[in-house]
């Protein structure tokens, strides 16, 4: 149970896809101009992520290894089309403001990354939990970024005026430089508070959030083995 | 034996440099402040007493932010070395005199906290703080940053604001700006514009003072201004137009006071030449073909960003070092 809990919660802060793994930067910067857009984009990606993780975990023994990436893309594209049509039908305003970035969920690194790193190695239940955790982490990051940018850039929060109309907001927060700035500050803040009071002294594999999915893992294990043998000899 | 040991005890072994001059950050910055005084005086004469309030607020805010950050982060206190004061004056120079004071304070925050201190403080900023502050304000508060109060010597009308000479020229490039503003007026500074950029004469005096005191190298200003002059001459074919482009806008202010920042410009002479020429070309490209009437701040910012590359490509090979294309 503890392991399942870790899979579910690691996406929130410890392995937050946007702020720690630094994946999905493009949609994060482009769609976080307001809190509603950010949350909407996050939820749309979460829905696709959970569904694609489940299906890919189901199909992991059938998909041939050599063509796995095209197969993942077909699965993801199917779910993205469903989400796109649903958004167009039920929340046309959000569909309009997200625009091109909905079809681009297909090539979102987070979704493809979780399929490659997690879903094709783990059980269906674990993959679903991973999808939920990562998706909520993505939504959270986009929502916070969107709220900050909307507050400073438009003087509103979730569309309600906070100080708009009284003080001129700083338009730069709605543009790309402001997006990069808020992104950088959030990454720094998460790094600062998740360091648990210890300073990183080296870039060793133990501290890397990508360690479990990394190809260098095998090299590292080999190196440790060789070292042990050397020590024995 | 005892004696010998005592002699060795007094022998100090240190690494180079062994000769330390008395010049330090504070003295360099004090010289820069002196050099900016003529331009400030002209700014006060042209735009009135509000310039004093604006400059004071910018200086106090910049030094204050520096002090607060150092205090809060428990760093060595650098608020007294005048570099923050220079940044403050430069921010005041780079905005219209009618700018609301709270917007100016945001500019100081961007310059000191974000551009300078977050990147490691004095000597570690990768772009010029004052230029970045100007651009952030320009993009954020376009209306306030492009409302130019008329100079005090303008003919008395009901209007209180007007376009800058560059603004007039950018709006209609076929118009003969010389009929509205003479190059003579622009040289003296009796035109609309940012507080510190109006008088080419005052800036030239300050720049020559800095070169004479060996605070700045003349290479970057010379290449910057020379490129702007030649570019304008080549594209317009008119000598008057070339002079106009050198005196208009922020070329003088940028070339002498902002493109010569030690930290964000190349170290070697050849790099400085590339930097100056690059600034000049970018400025003219933005002025002639760009959407904005003025491009000095953007050109300096862009060249600041490529400075590490320029430094890398212009590095001097040590005598006796490895030859090109030869492996160690």
């Amino acid at each position: 149970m503890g392991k399942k809990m870790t899979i579910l919660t690691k996406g929130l802060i410890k392995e937050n896809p946007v702020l720690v793994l630094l994946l999905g930067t493009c949609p994060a910067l482009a769609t976080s101009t307001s809190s509603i857009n950010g949350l909407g984009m996050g939820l749309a990606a979460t829905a696709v992520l959970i569904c694609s993780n489940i299906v890919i975990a189901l199909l992991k023994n059938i998909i041939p290894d050599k063509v796995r990436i095209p197969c993942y893309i077909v699965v993801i594209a199917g779910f993205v089309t469903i989400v796109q049509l649903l958004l167009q039908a039920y929340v046309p305003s959000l569909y309009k403001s997200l625009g091109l970035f909905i079809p681009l969920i297909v090539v979102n690194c987070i979704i493809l990354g979780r399929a490659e790193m997690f879903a094709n190695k783990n059980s269906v239940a674990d993959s679903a939990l991973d999808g939920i955790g990562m998706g909520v982490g993505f939504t959270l990051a986009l929502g916070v970024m969107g709220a900050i940018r909307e507050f400073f850039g438009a003087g509103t929060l979730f569309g309600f005026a906070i100080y708009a109309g009284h003080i001129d907001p700083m338009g730069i927060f709605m543009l790309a430089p402001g997006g990069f700035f808020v992104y950088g500050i959030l990454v720094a803040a998460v790094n600062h508070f998740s360091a648990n009071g210890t300073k990183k002294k080296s870039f060793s594999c133990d501290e890397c959030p990508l360690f479990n999915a990394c190809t260098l893992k095998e090299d590292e294990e080999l190196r440790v083995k060789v070292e042990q043998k050397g020590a024995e000899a | 034996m005892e004696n010998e040991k005592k002699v060795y005890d007094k022998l100090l072994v240190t690494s180079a440099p062994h000769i330390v001059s008395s010049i330090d950050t504070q003295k360099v910055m004090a010289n820069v402040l002196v050099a900016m005084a003529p331009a400030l005086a002209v700014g006060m004469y042209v735009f009135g007493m509000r310039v004093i309030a604006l400059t004071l607020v910018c200086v106090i805010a910049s030094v204050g932010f520096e002090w607060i950050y150092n205090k809060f982060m428990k760093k060595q206190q650098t608020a007294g070395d005048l570099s923050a004061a220079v940044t403050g004056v430069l921010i005041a120079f780079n905005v219209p005199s009618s700018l609301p004071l709270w917007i100016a304070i945001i500019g100081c925050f961007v310059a000191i906290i974000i551009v300078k201190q977050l990147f490691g403080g004095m000597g570690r900023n990768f772009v010029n703080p004052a230029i970045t502050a100007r651009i952030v304000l320009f993009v954020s508060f376009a209306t306030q940053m492009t409302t130019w109060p008329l100079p005090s010597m303008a003919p008395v009308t009901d209007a209180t604001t007007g376009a800058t000479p560059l603004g007039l020229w950018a709006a209609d490039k076929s118009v003969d700006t010389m009929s509205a503003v003479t190059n003579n007026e622009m040289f003296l500074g009796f035109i609309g514009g940012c507080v510190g950029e109006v008088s080419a004469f005052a800036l030239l005096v300050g720049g020559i003072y800095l070169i004479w005191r060996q605070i700045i190298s003349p290479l970057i200003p010379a290449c910057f201004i020379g490129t702007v002059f030649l570019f304008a001459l080549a594209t317009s074919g008119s000598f008057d137009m070339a002079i106009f482009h050198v005196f208009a806008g922020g070329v003088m202010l940028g070339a002498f006071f902002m493109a010569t920042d030690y930290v964000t410009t190349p170290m070697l002479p050849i790099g400085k030449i590339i930097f100056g020429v690059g600034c000049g070309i970018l400025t003219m490209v933005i002025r002639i073909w760009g959407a904005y009437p003025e491009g000095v701040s953007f050109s300096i910012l862009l060249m600041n960003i490529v400075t590490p590359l320029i430094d890398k490509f212009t590095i001097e090979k040590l005598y006796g070092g490895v030859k090109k294309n030869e492996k160690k």
Side-chain angles (χ1 to χ4, degrees), chain B residues 154-221:
Chain B
V156 181
T157 55
D158 284 346
T160 53
T161 59
T164 62
L166 266 179
L168 286 175
W169 178 77
D172 183 2
K173 283 175 187 161
S174 62
V175 87
D176 182 16
T177 39
M178 304 304 151
S179 58
V181 188
T182 63
N183 277 349
N184 212 0
E185 279 177 323
M186 290 187 26
F187 184 64
L188 292 173
F190 301 154
I191 49 171
C194 292
V195 169
E197 72 177 13
V198 287
S199 170
F201 173 68
L203 290 165
L204 204 57
V205 169
I208 289 170
Y209 172 79
L210 285 182
I211 293 169
W212 171 61
R213 296 303 300 263
Q214 298 191 333
I215 303 291
I216 61 170
S217 137
L219 269 177
I220 291 177

Side-chain angles (χ1 to χ4, degrees), chain B residues 21-321:
Chain B
S21 75
S22 64
I23 194 110
D24 59 11
T25 312
Q26 198 177 5
K27 281 180 185 159
V28 170
M29 293 301 162
N31 269 312
V32 176
L33 283 177
V34 169
M36 288 194 288
L40 185 62
V42 174
M44 282 195 273
Y45 176 63
V46 175
F47 297 114
M49 288 303 115
R50 193 181 147 80
V51 169
I52 302 177
L54 184 68
T55 312
L56 272 180
V57 164
C58 282
V59 170
I60 292 169
S62 295
V63 176
F65 282 132
E66 177 120 342
W67 188 84
I68 290 168
Y69 184 89
N70 284 330
K71 190 91 184 159
F72 184 66
M73 300 300 284
K74 298 190 181 69
K75 285 186 157 189
Q76 195 194 344
Q77 195 52 262
T78 52
D81 71 3
L82 293 180
S83 66
V86 168
T87 305
V89 177
L90 277 175
I91 292 170
F93 271 21
N94 269 292
V95 295
S97 61
S98 60
L99 190 78
L101 295 177
W102 65 271
I103 294 183
I105 293 173
I106 290 179
C108 298
F109 179 84
V110 170
I112 296 294
I113 302 287
I114 291 168
V115 182
K116 188 175 167 192
Q117 295 295 356
L118 284 187
F119 284 90
M122 181 74 187
R124 298 208 179 87
N125 47 307
F126 76 114
V127 288
N128 187 307
I131 283 277
T132 319
R134 180 196 144 83
I135 290 175
V136 167
L137 294 184
F138 186 67
V139 175
S140 298
F141 306 102
T143 324
Q144 292 91 332
M145 282 294 285
T146 49
T147 307
W148 311 106
L150 285 179
S152 58
M153 55 288 300
V156 181
T157 55
D158 284 346
T160 53
T161 59
T164 62
L166 266 179
L168 286 175
W169 178 77
D172 183 2
K173 283 175 187 161
S174 62
V175 87
D176 182 16
T177 39
M178 304 304 151
S179 58
V181 188
T182 63
N183 277 349
N184 212 0
E185 279 177 323
M186 290 187 26
F187 184 64
L188 292 173
F190 301 154
I191 49 171
C194 292
V195 169
E197 72 177 13
V198 287
S199 170
F201 173 68
L203 290 165
L204 204 57
V205 169
I208 289 170
Y209 172 79
L210 285 182
I211 293 169
W212 171 61
R213 296 303 300 263
Q214 298 191 333
I215 303 291
I216 61 170
S217 137
L219 269 177
I220 291 177
C223 291
F224 192 164
I225 295 169
T227 310
V228 167
F229 182 84
L230 291 177
F231 203 113
L233 193 63
T235 48
S236 69
S238 142
F239 193 71
D240 276 350
M241 210 58 218
I243 298 274
F244 169 83
H245 273 293
V246 170
F247 290 166
V251 171
M252 286 282 178
L253 177 63
F256 285 114
F257 291 98
M258 288 184 291
T260 51
D261 179 11
Y262 298 140
V263 187
T264 55
T265 55
M267 288 180 283
L268 298 170
I270 180 80
K272 286 187 200 293
I273 292 171
I274 297 172
F275 185 93
V277 171
C279 282
I281 291 174
L282 284 171
T283 299
M284 288 312 291
V285 166
I286 294 172
R287 277 187 184 179
I288 295 177
W289 294 290
Y292 293 121
E294 173 62 313
V296 170
S297 41
F298 291 103
S299 73
I300 297 177
L301 185 76
L302 275 170
M303 292 310 287
N304 280 166
I305 292 169
V306 296
T307 291
L309 290 177
I310 297 175
D311 265 341
K312 196 181 169 192
F313 286 116
T314 56
I315 194 158
E316 271 176 359
K317 194 157 56 61
L318 289 178
Y319 180 67

